[in-house]
Amino acid sequence: MQSVGEKTYSQAVREGKYDLYVGNLFGKYDNVRTYWEDQLTRIALRPFLRELVERCRRENRGVRIVDLGCGAGQGYEILTKIDRRDLDLGLQHERVLPKEEIDLYLGLDISQAMVERGQVLFESQPEVTFAQADLREGFGPFKDREPFDIYFSSYGSLSHLNRQDLVKLLQDICEHSGNESLIVLDFLGRYSIEWPDFWFADSEDEKVRDYTMSYLYSEAVRKEVESDRFPLRFWVGSDVKDLSEELTQTCGLGVEVLKLMDRSMLVGRHTDTQEYNKQLKPIRRAVNSLHQDYLRTNLEELVIDPAIVPDHPVIAPPLRELIDSWNVVVEYCQQRLWERCSLTQLEGWDDFAKPLQFALMTIDRVIADVGWMWYGDPRANIIEPQLGYALRTLEYEMQRGRGCGHGLVAILKTQK
């Protein structure tokens, strides 16, 4: 059976878009992917992965991982580069899951091109292996393997499955898993500002929409190439909770939702392409610029009009609150660069949410501490990246796991 989106994925592999990290202003491995999305996924996973690894150590064995829809093995890079704690200036990296403690990483993907690319990229690592698999058919072909500790997915890979097929896959996984295995689900969020027309989907058919990965290409290329389109299922937080309850009832074991995280609420892939919402500004492009060496960003391009958020009784208020807070940080940074304001002059400080106060203090201190530097363009190479991290933290601290981001990450644990 041909893979959905096979044309897009095969072309992307041929062009090297699934090779390991290449930072950029657009494409698969743009700066937002590297400095925001990968890092936020790691932050969300860290406490649960740390507990799992320590349990495996007590049992004197390595960690077993299966990556569902693995691409060329990018999940391996996410899982093995999680620091045990936030680093201070004196610490070296100490990973939660060192590579030498992995017994097996099995990457499964429907695309043979992806599987072959992964085999090339990881050919020197014997603990890493790949196999072609159609997850729409469940986990059956791999049931004879020992249980895995982590059933992992990333970046919307499981949105390729409709709900019925996903339930079948997860039922197989629950039957196959050991006690306290982690299941990491990564979906496209239905409440993203990228596609407000999807917000009010009610029936199951309405929750499945055509999707395109046109963001892999620059604006000039997008005008010349017609991107492949394929159906994906869009999810919200309440869907995941319902799914967990259904699995608990049908599989005879506990399936606990440990965490739900909205990822890329304002900087999703299609904010730049405007494929689904013509009102959006290319915010992701501007944030990519914040993290690019020796490139100064027009900070005015980061300001977002809250009016782009449609009316919705549950989703609109927190999104508008985030946008308002985001704009306060950006505008304060602009003024502070010109020494036209200070924190003591900001009105309404006591009413600001704690994440907003922290972001503002971060920007204020960074600008104050590097103002004396003349070499190496401190604005482009120090202040702007720190503005990016401040906005990233603001978004993470204000998200509520409702499906309001481009991605919705769900971390589940089985209990037998």
Side-chain angles (χ1 to χ4, degrees), residues 22-50:
V22 180
N24 214 325
L25 296 175
F26 66 91
K28 184 69 176 177
Y29 292 104
D30 65 356
N31 291 329
V32 171
R33 161 72 185 260
T34 301
Y35 299 115
W36 285 46
E37 293 168 338
D38 282 358
Q39 295 300 331
L40 290 179
T41 300
R42 292 180 176 117
I43 289 170
L45 278 170
R46 179 164 60 185
F48 312 112
L49 182 62
R50 184 167 54 211

Side-chain angles (χ1 to χ4, degrees), residues 1 9-10 40-41 43 102 104 155 170 185 187 210 249 297 303 310 377 388:
M1 184 182 297
Y9 289 122
S10 297
L40 290 179
T41 300
I43 289 170
I102 296 177
L104 173 65
Y155 293 104
L170 292 177
L185 309 177
F187 301 116
D210 279 347
Q249 293 172 3
T297 306
V303 177
D377 195 348

Side-chain angles (χ1 to χ4, degrees), residues 166-221:
L166 180 67
V167 168
K168 167 60 177 168
L169 173 66
L170 292 177
Q171 286 174 338
D172 287 351
I173 285 174
C174 288
E175 179 182 342
H176 182 264
S177 68
N179 186 38
E180 298 189 340
S181 292
L182 293 181
I183 302 174
V184 182
L185 309 177
D186 198 325
F187 301 116
L188 291 182
R190 195 165 74 245
Y191 290 145
S192 171
I193 59 170
E194 297 160 277
W195 33 72
D197 289 347
F198 298 4
W199 285 14
F200 294 92
D202 185 31
S203 69
E204 186 59 33
D205 286 345
E206 291 173 324
K207 296 173 184 177
V208 177
R209 304 287 183 117
D210 279 347
Y211 187 73
T212 174
M213 295 173 65
S214 58
Y215 58 78
L216 287 173
Y217 307 103
S218 66
E219 186 175 356
V221 173

Side-chain angles (χ1 to χ4, degrees), residues 35-230:
Y35 299 115
W36 285 46
E37 293 168 338
D38 282 358
Q39 295 300 331
L40 290 179
T41 300
R42 292 180 176 117
I43 289 170
L45 278 170
R46 179 164 60 185
F48 312 112
L49 182 62
R50 184 167 54 211
E51 180 180 324
L52 183 147
V53 172
E54 289 172 355
R55 175 162 53 83
C56 290
R57 286 174 181 163
R58 291 194 300 270
E59 296 173 3
N60 196 30
R61 63 182 181 85
V63 178
R64 294 174 55 82
I65 303 162
V66 60
D67 192 343
L68 309 166
C70 63
Q74 285 73 34
Y76 184 89
E77 295 295 304
I78 292 174
L79 291 168
T80 57
K81 292 184 178 179
I82 301 177
D83 288 307
R84 290 187 59 82
R85 61 182 66 84
D86 294 331
L87 299 179
D88 64 24
L89 297 181
L91 290 174
Q92 299 297 319
H93 289 291
E94 183 183 355
R95 305 301 192 190
V96 172
L97 178 56
K99 296 179 180 180
E100 58 269 19
E101 294 193 34
I102 296 177
D103 179 60
L104 173 65
Y105 168 94
L106 171 62
L108 303 179
D109 202 280
I110 194 172
S111 170
Q112 186 61 31
M114 291 290 189
V115 168
E116 292 173 359
R117 190 59 188 156
Q119 290 169 336
V120 170
L121 292 174
F122 291 91
E123 62 181 347
S124 64
Q125 296 176 235
E127 79 280 10
V128 178
T129 184
F130 295 86
Q132 195 275 337
D134 187 346
L135 297 176
R136 292 172 294 184
E137 299 174 358
F139 200 67
F142 303 92
K143 281 186 176 181
D144 59 344
R145 304 242 182 178
E146 292 182 34
F148 292 94
D149 300 294
I150 307 172
Y151 298 81
F152 182 80
S153 71
S154 61
Y155 293 104
S157 57
L158 294 185
S159 273
H160 285 285
L161 278 63
N162 61 38
R163 193 182 190 282
Q164 180 179 349
D165 290 340
L166 180 67
V167 168
K168 167 60 177 168
L169 173 66
L170 292 177
Q171 286 174 338
D172 287 351
I173 285 174
C174 288
E175 179 182 342
H176 182 264
S177 68
N179 186 38
E180 298 189 340
S181 292
L182 293 181
I183 302 174
V184 182
L185 309 177
D186 198 325
F187 301 116
L188 291 182
R190 195 165 74 245
Y191 290 145
S192 171
I193 59 170
E194 297 160 277
W195 33 72
D197 289 347
F198 298 4
W199 285 14
F200 294 92
D202 185 31
S203 69
E204 186 59 33
D205 286 345
E206 291 173 324
K207 296 173 184 177
V208 177
R209 304 287 183 117
D210 279 347
Y211 187 73
T212 174
M213 295 173 65
S214 58
Y215 58 78
L216 287 173
Y217 307 103
S218 66
E219 186 175 356
V221 173
R222 287 199 300 270
K223 291 178 179 179
E224 301 295 329
V225 176
E226 183 176 354
S227 298
D228 194 14
R229 292 182 180 272
F230 40 88

Side-chain angles (χ1 to χ4, degrees), residues 226-276:
E226 183 176 354
S227 298
D228 194 14
R229 292 182 180 272
F230 40 88
L232 294 183
R233 210 279 193 182
F234 292 74
W235 290 76
V236 298
S238 59
D239 290 341
V240 177
K241 294 176 181 178
D242 292 343
L243 180 64
S244 171
E245 292 176 4
E246 180 178 345
L247 292 170
T248 295
Q249 293 172 3
T250 60
C251 297
L253 78 165
V255 180
E256 179 185 1
V257 179
L258 299 176
K259 188 175 185 66
L260 291 169
M261 180 186 72
D262 291 322
R263 188 185 57 221
S264 296
M265 294 174 67
L266 302 180
V267 294
R269 290 287 189 177
H270 283 294
T271 54
D272 287 5
T273 67
Q274 301 177 320
E275 288 270 1
Y276 304 92

Side-chain angles (χ1 to χ4, degrees), residues 299-318:
L299 300 185
E300 191 62 34
E301 294 179 354
L302 287 164
V303 177
I304 303 172
D305 183 0
I308 66 172
V309 180
D311 288 333
H312 189 288
V314 177
I315 304 308

Side-chain angles (χ1 to χ4, degrees), residues 318-371:
L319 272 176
R320 288 173 181 155
E321 181 185 11
L322 172 60
I323 290 173
D324 289 340
S325 298
W326 174 289
N327 288 342
V328 168
V329 175
V330 172
E331 290 165 359
Y332 179 74
C333 184
Q334 288 179 292
Q335 295 297 315
R336 186 68 177 80
L337 285 169
W338 289 96
E339 299 183 351
R340 291 174 179 166
C341 68
S342 66
L343 287 180
T344 58
Q345 296 173 306
L346 285 177
E347 295 183 6
W349 175 269
D350 292 338
D351 296 325
F352 288 163
K354 286 284 192 294
L356 175 54
Q357 291 179 341
F358 183 80
L360 289 167
M361 289 189 293
T362 298
I363 295 306
D364 188 74
R365 291 173 183 176
V366 168
I367 293 176
D369 289 345
V370 305

